[in-house]
Amino acid sequence: QVQLVESGGGLVQAGGSLRLSCAASGRTLSRFNMGWFRQAPGKEREFVAIINYGSTMTYYRDSVKGRFTISRDNAKNTVYLQMNDLKPEDSAVYYCASASQPFGVITTRRADFGSWGQGTQVTVSS
């Protein structure tokens, strides 16, 4: 059973940056696509970014393209989300997720991710 633990969230002013980390244990992540999702109060959890198992493909929701960068270090079993030029609308709990199946295709569907972290709060003040 894989365990995912996010860290790096916090309070930042608009225009600032944060780097989220997701450390995994119990499973080697190198065979799995990894994603970041977020959930704001009163809203559904939404896709933010995904990186494939080989780090050859990434995909982002439109609103974060050019500002967020997802990366991974398979040697450290860790995935990152670098967030620059943060906006108040980026405020949410951010979740790391591991795809259910190894060597899968890029997907934005929550149902395709079987393991989730507990989340880390990101708050952007205006």
Side-chain angles (χ1 to χ4, degrees):
Q1 182 75 13
V2 62
Q3 290 187 327
L4 303 173
V5 179
E6 302 96 335
S7 61
L11 173 64
V12 64
Q13 289 188 333
S17 298
L18 285 173
R19 188 195 195 202
L20 305 184
S21 298
C22 171
S25 60
R27 173 196 282 179
T28 299
L29 296 183
S30 59
R31 300 182 301 156
F32 296 86
N33 296 343
M34 296 295 297
W36 286 94
F37 290 74
R38 67 187 181 187
Q39 187 168 18
K43 295 187 177 181
E44 290 193 356
R45 192 172 299 188
E46 64 183 16
F47 165 80
V48 175
I50 184 173
I51 185 167
N52 75 332
Y53 51 89
S55 299
T56 57
M57 293 181 64
T58 58
Y59 185 75
Y60 302 88
R61 70 179 299 108
D62 286 345
S63 62
V64 309
K65 286 180 181 176
R67 300 188 297 121
F68 290 12
T69 303
I70 188 171
S71 62
R72 65 191 298 163
D73 185 337
N74 286 339
K76 295 183 178 180
N77 230 23
T78 301
V79 179
Y80 305 96
L81 185 68
Q82 178 66 43
M83 306 186 296
N84 298 329
D85 190 24
L86 282 161
K87 306 176 186 299
E89 52 264 41
D90 294 319
S91 297
V93 177
Y94 282 71
Y95 297 91
C96 170
S98 175
S100 299
Q101 301 299 323
F103 306 119
V105 298
I106 290 290
T107 176
T108 65
R109 300 194 320 150
R110 285 182 295 169
D112 292 327
F113 293 84
S115 298
W116 296 80
Q118 83 290 346
T120 185
Q121 177 71 48
V122 171
T123 303
V124 184
S125 63
S126 57

